[in-house]
Amino acid sequence: MKRILTDNLIRSTDKFPDRIAFKQLNKSITYGSLLTSSAQLANVLLECGARKGDRIGIFMNRTFESAIAVYGALLAGAAFVPIDTNLPPQRVKQLLDDCNIDILISSPTFQKKIVSLVEEQPPLHTIIGAKELFTQSIKHISWESVWTASSKLPTIQCNESDLAYIIYTSGTTGKSKGIVHTHFSGASYAKLSAELYEITHEDILGNHSHLHYDISTMGYLTMPYVGGCTYIVPEAYTIFPVNLAKLLANEKLTIWYSVPLALIQLINVGDLENKDLDHLRWVLFGGESFSPDYMKKLMKLLPNAMFSNVYGPAEVNQCTYFNFSANEVISNPIPLGQAWPETIVKLVKEHPEDEIGELYVSSSTQMHSYWNKPEKTKEGFITMEHTDGEKYRFYKTGDKSKYDNHGNLIFLGRQDRQTKLRGYRIELDELEYIIVKEASVKDAAVYIKKEEEEPFLCASIVVDPSSFSLTTFKKHIAKHLPSHAIPRTIKIVEKLPRTSAGKVNYKAFI
């Protein structure tokens, strides 16, 4: 069977036309209505000049209407490009220019931002969903007009190799990179994730992530593959963990997938101990390391759930997993685990006797390329021979790893967070790894600061005040770190600064 994302939606609609596909608060849409509405949008896009392989921008927040935008673009034979609505207009224009996007799907909610964007003279000729812009150069189509369009499925045939979506992410230089996924890589992720976590049409997934983050692919791609329901968490609920915990209980979510930060907030102020969460059977987390101390607390609060540490850069969707139950003993750090099916992982070491190496991945779920960046794509991939004698295309993740005594991969930081200080090569992630080994330290960030042009090491740490001792902590790092790798400044903070994706925002320390 060919792996085509739109085919997944059509099959689920045939099987479960009346089942809810996406829901948010008191609004929902069935599979039958989703396919009808998506077909209407697709026909409008085609009438506006969209052609197979075109890129369609989606400028929307976490709303269940975003699913219509996704599948409307795909049914038109185009690729959808989610755009962060919090980006300044100049950055949005750069993205539109880079991807040559001339049709944007949005909503009246972002009218002011769209007006500001239009002032930057983007390459747009059509905006769907916003209010009238009073400009002759850009055509406006309301959602009301979309709902009067033909609901007949377009006759465009998609192939596995066709573009499906492009997710923009910031590289280490701060420049955005467009990660290009095809129908094959997206549908492979949907298939493998559904099989690994035994997801069915009876499951309800809590989608906590924005569409422009790769974690959202489980909600938008996997659940339509099985005919399950995706509950899109409203923006306001992400700010108030107590309300988010109530939502988990009231909506009877069976699967949760988010960055660790969202789970930490639920642990701290979500009052989970007083919620009925027996229906929650899987808790998935990824995007960043999860403190084992917090993980143990969560396991006590959710004794009936299974947990999974999900690993995979956006370039490969997912490639490894570490599944465990609430009654298991977990190590520090929590392992990345094993490669999932249709995937090969290699540790490429500088010397054969080395224990640590860079993780290379070849998978059916990996991206096609970086958009408009052939040299970057060439740098990111390498063709290597595997033990079976066949040659495979591997993505170089830039992540350092090793195997533990049980054969599980352990994440040891990024290659690109290596620095030199006074002639010494220092791995900042490895310093964090050692610092959080001290029992009273919950979280840590190590970074370089400059004072009178003299760079030095700093560490910000989150601690348990009831057990933390600065003397004990200093003894710990002195025992495990060489003198040149001991931070000059150690700052105790309540929490580490985070990006909107929930990752540590190292730029905030500089």
Side-chain angles (χ1 to χ4, degrees):
M1 184 183 295
K2 286 188 177 181
R3 298 184 182 182
I4 308 293
L5 291 171
T6 45
D7 287 353
N8 293 344
L9 173 62
I10 293 169
R11 280 196 299 270
S12 287
T13 301
D14 288 342
K15 291 180 181 178
F16 314 109
D18 298 321
R19 290 193 72 88
I20 294 176
F22 288 83
K23 184 179 181 182
Q24 187 178 68
L25 298 178
N26 60 347
K27 299 172 71 176
S28 63
I29 188 167
T30 64
Y31 274 97
S33 296
L34 174 59
L35 184 59
T36 296
S37 299
S38 299
Q40 289 176 309
L41 177 58
N43 287 319
V44 170
L45 291 171
L46 292 170
E47 289 172 6
C48 292
R51 294 294 178 263
K52 189 175 182 179
D54 282 358
R55 280 74 55 205
I56 306 295
I58 299 179
F59 194 72
M60 305 175 81
N61 258 352
R62 282 180 281 224
T63 63
F64 85 96
E65 291 91 348
S66 58
I68 299 172
V70 164
Y71 283 96
L74 292 174
L75 286 171
F80 67 90
V81 184
I83 301 171
D84 184 355
T85 57
N86 291 314
L87 290 176
Q90 300 90 338
R91 288 286 303 277
V92 176
K93 181 185 182 298
Q94 289 172 11
L95 190 154
L96 296 176
D97 286 337
D98 182 60
C99 222
N100 194 24
I101 293 172
D102 51 25
I103 302 177
L104 188 69
I105 303 172
S106 189
S107 71
T109 305
F110 300 108
Q111 187 68 17
K112 288 184 179 180
K113 291 188 176 184
I114 291 175
V115 170
S116 298
L117 173 61
V118 169
E119 291 173 355
E120 297 292 326
Q121 298 183 325
L124 297 173
H125 64 62
T126 303
I127 296 178
I128 297 174
K131 297 177 182 177
E132 183 64 57
L133 295 172
F134 307 108
T135 174
Q136 294 182 347
S137 61
I138 298 178
K139 184 178 181 180
H140 159 258
I141 298 175
S142 68
W143 281 110
E144 288 74 18
S145 297
V146 172
W147 308 144
T148 64
S150 169
S151 60
K152 185 178 179 180
L153 285 176
T155 57
I156 295 174
Q157 295 296 315
C158 289
N159 299 311
E160 291 184 330
S161 59
D162 288 339
L163 303 187
Y165 61 98
I166 301 175
I167 291 180
Y168 273 80
T169 184
S170 294
T172 56
T173 62
K175 295 180 181 179
S176 295
K177 296 179 295 184
I179 297 171
V180 179
H181 278 284
T182 62
H183 277 268
F184 180 77
S185 63
S188 293
Y189 167 77
K191 176 180 183 293
L192 295 183
S193 57
E195 290 174 352
L196 175 63
Y197 301 111
E198 299 180 333
I199 303 173
T200 74
H201 64 277
E202 295 181 342
D203 278 306
I204 305 173
L205 168 75
N207 185 90
H208 186 269
S209 179
H210 284 285
L211 184 58
H212 58 272
Y213 294 129
D214 59 314
I215 284 181
S216 68
T217 50
M218 178 165 277
Y220 288 87
L221 305 185
T222 306
M223 300 311 284
Y225 173 76
V226 299
C229 174
T230 297
Y231 190 100
I232 299 178
V233 177
E235 204 75 24
Y237 280 65
T238 65
I239 303 171
F240 301 104
V242 172
N243 291 340
L244 184 56
K246 290 178 182 177
L247 185 151
L248 276 167
N250 295 340
E251 296 296 333
K252 298 191 180 303
L253 302 184
T254 62
I255 304 172
W256 177 263
Y257 187 15
S258 73
V259 294
L261 179 61
L263 292 168
I264 291 171
Q265 291 172 338
L266 282 170
I267 293 166
N268 287 337
V269 291
D271 192 32
L272 293 182
E273 56 270 26
N274 293 314
K275 302 291 186 300
D276 179 6
L277 298 174
D278 286 346
H279 41 78
L280 190 60
R281 64 185 193 89
W282 275 108
V283 176
L284 283 64
F285 55 92
E288 195 172 42
S289 298
F290 197 170
S291 162
D293 285 345
Y294 275 115
M295 189 70 249
K296 290 171 186 175
K297 291 180 180 178
L298 188 62
M299 291 161 73
K300 287 182 179 179
L301 290 166
L302 302 172
N304 299 321
M306 287 290 296
F307 303 88
S308 184
N309 185 12
V310 177
Y311 168 76
E315 285 86 348
V316 297
N317 279 308
Q318 181 177 347
C319 56
T320 72
Y321 66 95
F322 182 73
N323 296 345
F324 54 99
S325 66
N327 58 9
E328 292 183 48
V329 177
I330 57 169
S331 59
N332 183 8
I334 301 170
L336 300 182
Q338 309 282 336
W340 70 353
E342 302 181 11
T343 299
I344 302 169
V345 296
K346 279 183 177 290
L347 277 186
V348 179
K349 305 170 184 178
E350 191 172 346
H351 306 289
E353 65 273 14
D354 289 347
E355 186 181 24
I356 299 171
E358 182 183 354
L359 192 60
Y360 285 18
V361 178
S362 180
S363 178
S364 61
T365 64
Q366 71 192 21
M367 72 173 184
H368 173 271
S369 61
Y370 290 112
W371 179 259
N372 260 349
K373 289 181 169 56
E375 289 303 315
K376 197 73 177 175
T377 302
K378 188 177 179 181
E379 291 172 12
F381 285 93
I382 186 171
T383 299
M384 298 175 63
E385 188 173 297
H386 188 48
T387 53
D388 61 5
E390 297 292 328
K391 289 186 176 181
Y392 296 88
R393 183 175 181 245
F394 285 85
Y395 171 67
K396 298 185 283 188
T397 68
D399 291 337
K400 294 175 297 179
S401 188
K402 69 174 183 178
Y403 285 100
D404 65 13
N405 295 332
H406 303 288
N408 290 309
L409 286 163
I410 302 291
F411 177 72
L412 295 172
R414 292 284 302 166
Q415 293 278 102
D416 49 32
R417 290 202 73 224
Q418 180 188 102
T419 188
K420 272 198 171 183
L421 202 61
R422 297 186 294 278
Y424 293 101
R425 188 172 70 176
I426 296 175
E427 304 281 0
L428 299 179
D429 287 315
E430 287 185 15
L431 299 190
E432 293 176 356
Y433 171 77
I434 291 169
I435 286 172
V436 297
K437 283 283 191 180
E438 207 282 318
S440 62
V441 178
K442 295 180 175 294
D443 210 351
V446 179
Y447 46 95
I448 300 289
K449 293 205 79 167
K450 286 187 177 182
E451 191 175 274
E452 297 178 355
E453 300 305 315
E454 174 70 22
F456 60 95
L457 280 172
C458 295
S460 290
I461 60 176
V462 180
V463 304
D464 180 353
S466 65
S467 60
F468 179 75
S469 163
L470 185 58
T471 302
T472 302
F473 174 72
K474 287 184 175 180
K475 286 181 180 178
H476 167 79
I477 58 176
K479 179 180 178 181
H480 295 282
L481 294 175
S483 58
H484 65 265
I486 295 177
R488 181 198 297 181
T489 301
I490 297 169
K491 186 177 181 181
I492 299 174
V493 297
E494 289 187 3
K495 60 181 179 180
L496 299 180
R498 303 274 176 172
T499 66
S500 58
K503 298 183 179 182
V504 174
N505 182 9
Y506 290 98
K507 291 180 181 179
F509 295 114
I510 300 172

